[in-house]
Amino acid sequence: QALYEVKERGRNGYAFYRPVEHRRIVIEQDLPFAIMRGQFYLCYQPKVRLTQGRAMGIEALLRWRHPTLGEIPPLDFIPLAEESGFIFEITLWVLERACRQVKEWERKFPGLKLAVNLSPFLLNRPELVEHVKRILRETELVPDRLILEVTESGLMENIETGRHILTELQQLGVQAAIDDFGTGFSSLAYIRNLPVSLLKIDRSFIQGIAENSKDATIVDTIIHLAKSLDIEVLAEGVETESQVVLLSQMDCDYAQGFYFSRSLEAEKLQQWLEKYNRSAAF
Ligand code: C2E
Ligand code: MG
Ligand code: MG
Ligand code: MG
């Protein structure tokens, strides 16, 4: 562990550099076998409705428990999976697992929505739609319970294919959300023409709203513009109570972040939802 940090500081000897390189090589080599070896699992993070204090849905987040490297964060392997094309197979695995889980929870948590992250690379794979359709059929999950999150930057780089595939998914009843909004230099005028029903404001904008009035103004403006376009808004990375208060005042629809809950494995999340929904009942 300490050796990895040395590399971060740079200009160290070959001997210090190697473990980091080694880690990357192992990740690259083992990635194609991770599904088969049962090393992937899912965590879920709740999204809450600010006005009612109830859970609206959950986001599935992929986790890789490696036998020698330990927990590998998604940002360390998703880009590699995108380059090598494994992201397609991985996404289907996530979809199948998560849809099955939410279907199992149907009685306990009726109407709970499931969000799955969709790599922008998959916007160029039209056959994805057929797979989504098949998975929904096999798991018997109602399509309007599924939300696919695409990052703003990824969508903007694939605007035409993105529009096409999201429209087809919308025709199935599946919804789309724009993830990490605000980091991709697009404008809401652009998004108006996309079949998108939820905008997730990036954590970097939410972070400072309680201390920095400029950040607060930006977030307030995004919320109101989105609403004028009939798109619902979620604040990402909410960590403090003062952020919650401000976002409620701004009429933000939903929030997600450590203030409410970190991402949890299914069993823990179920307990969290039971407790949270009970305390929010009126
Ligand atoms: P994302 O979709 O924007 O997911 C939110 C990330 O922010 C998660 O990190 C989550 O744990 C973290 N987060 C949530 N609330 C807070 C908070 O209050 N404070 C802070 N500091 N962080 C918070 P995670 O799980 O490491 O995922 C990182 C990214 O990896 C995701 O960003 C998503 O782009 C990607 N990813 C994760 N799972 C998948 C997947 O199944 N497929 C694809 N294509 N990408 C995935
Ligand atoms: Mg996401
Ligand atoms: Mg996000
Ligand atoms: Mg993010």
Side-chain angles (χ1 to χ4, degrees):
Q1 194 93 48
L3 292 180
Y4 300 159
E5 281 160 24
V6 170
K7 193 235 167 183
E8 304 286 333
R9 276 182 254 119
R11 283 198 213 108
N12 277 284
Y14 180 68
F16 292 114
Y17 186 74
R18 273 190 77 192
V20 180
E21 266 304 292
H22 174 75
R23 183 174 187 272
R24 215 185 61 87
I25 291 166
V26 172
I27 290 176
E28 217 170 303
Q29 277 176 350
D30 289 355
L31 187 60
F33 308 102
I35 292 181
M36 188 177 94
R37 292 174 179 161
Q39 294 167 349
F40 282 152
Y41 65 100
L42 291 180
C43 278
Y44 301 91
Q45 189 180 37
K47 299 174 171 181
V48 306
R49 194 183 293 275
L50 281 168
T51 48
Q52 292 174 355
R54 270 186 82 84
M56 166 271 266
I58 57 179
E59 176 176 3
L61 293 161
L62 184 58
R63 300 287 175 258
W64 183 6
R65 189 175 289 135
H66 189 277
T68 57
L69 298 177
E71 294 287 335
I72 306 173
L75 294 176
D76 286 2
F77 68 86
I78 297 280
L80 285 172
E82 290 175 334
E83 274 172 41
S84 59
F86 283 118
I87 191 66
F88 192 79
E89 211 184 322
I90 292 173
T91 304
L92 297 186
W93 184 88
V94 173
L95 269 168
E96 216 159 314
R97 285 292 285 242
C99 287
R100 186 160 299 129
Q101 179 63 70
V102 171
K103 178 68 186 178
E104 262 177 49
W105 277 332
E106 192 156 70
R107 285 238 185 87
K108 274 198 161 71
F109 312 118
L112 188 76
K113 298 207 179 200
L114 165 69
V116 169
N117 290 289
L118 189 65
S119 160
F121 283 66
L122 300 184
L123 297 175
N124 296 313
R125 300 283 297 267
E127 69 269 38
L128 177 80
V129 179
E130 278 309 310
H131 284 278
V132 172
K133 208 166 163 178
R134 169 183 60 78
I135 290 168
L136 288 169
R137 192 178 59 235
E138 286 170 3
T139 59
E140 295 175 50
L141 189 75
V142 183
D144 69 8
R145 301 275 293 281
L146 181 62
I147 302 174
L148 294 176
E149 298 189 358
V150 190
T151 61
E152 183 199 15
S153 51
L155 195 52
M156 290 309 133
E157 281 161 26
N158 302 274
I159 189 87
E160 281 317 316
T161 51
R163 189 201 313 281
H164 179 75
I165 212 163
L166 294 184
T167 303
E168 287 202 339
L169 287 163
Q170 187 189 41
Q171 282 159 1
L172 289 183
V174 175
Q175 292 176 302
I178 296 196
D179 209 346
D180 302 349
F181 183 78
T183 58
F185 308 105
S186 69
S187 72
L188 278 168
Y190 229 40
I191 279 156
R192 184 187 55 187
N193 297 314
L194 292 167
V196 161
S197 55
L198 179 71
L199 201 79
K200 301 184 72 176
I201 305 174
D202 190 64
R203 176 159 61 90
S204 57
F205 293 92
I206 305 302
Q207 231 161 21
I209 54 168
E211 296 81 28
N212 183 327
S213 66
K214 277 188 187 153
D215 283 356
T217 306
I218 292 171
V219 170
D220 193 48
T221 306
I222 295 175
I223 292 171
H224 287 99
L225 275 170
K227 294 201 148 196
S228 71
L229 298 174
D230 253 337
I231 298 173
E232 293 196 294
V233 197
L234 179 146
E236 276 189 343
V238 174
E239 294 181 354
T240 68
E241 180 156 14
S242 45
Q243 290 169 339
V244 174
V245 171
L246 272 171
L247 289 164
S248 304
Q249 285 168 358
M250 293 175 185
D251 276 335
C252 186
D253 301 294
Y254 310 103
Q256 180 178 358
F258 295 169
Y259 175 76
F260 300 99
S261 171
R262 289 180 179 257
S263 63
L264 303 168
E265 285 188 69
E267 200 181 320
K268 286 268 164 57
L269 180 89
Q270 180 176 323
Q271 289 165 6
W272 187 94
L273 285 172
E274 280 166 352
K275 203 168 147 206
Y276 189 79
N277 285 348
R278 199 160 51 234
S279 71
F282 24 92

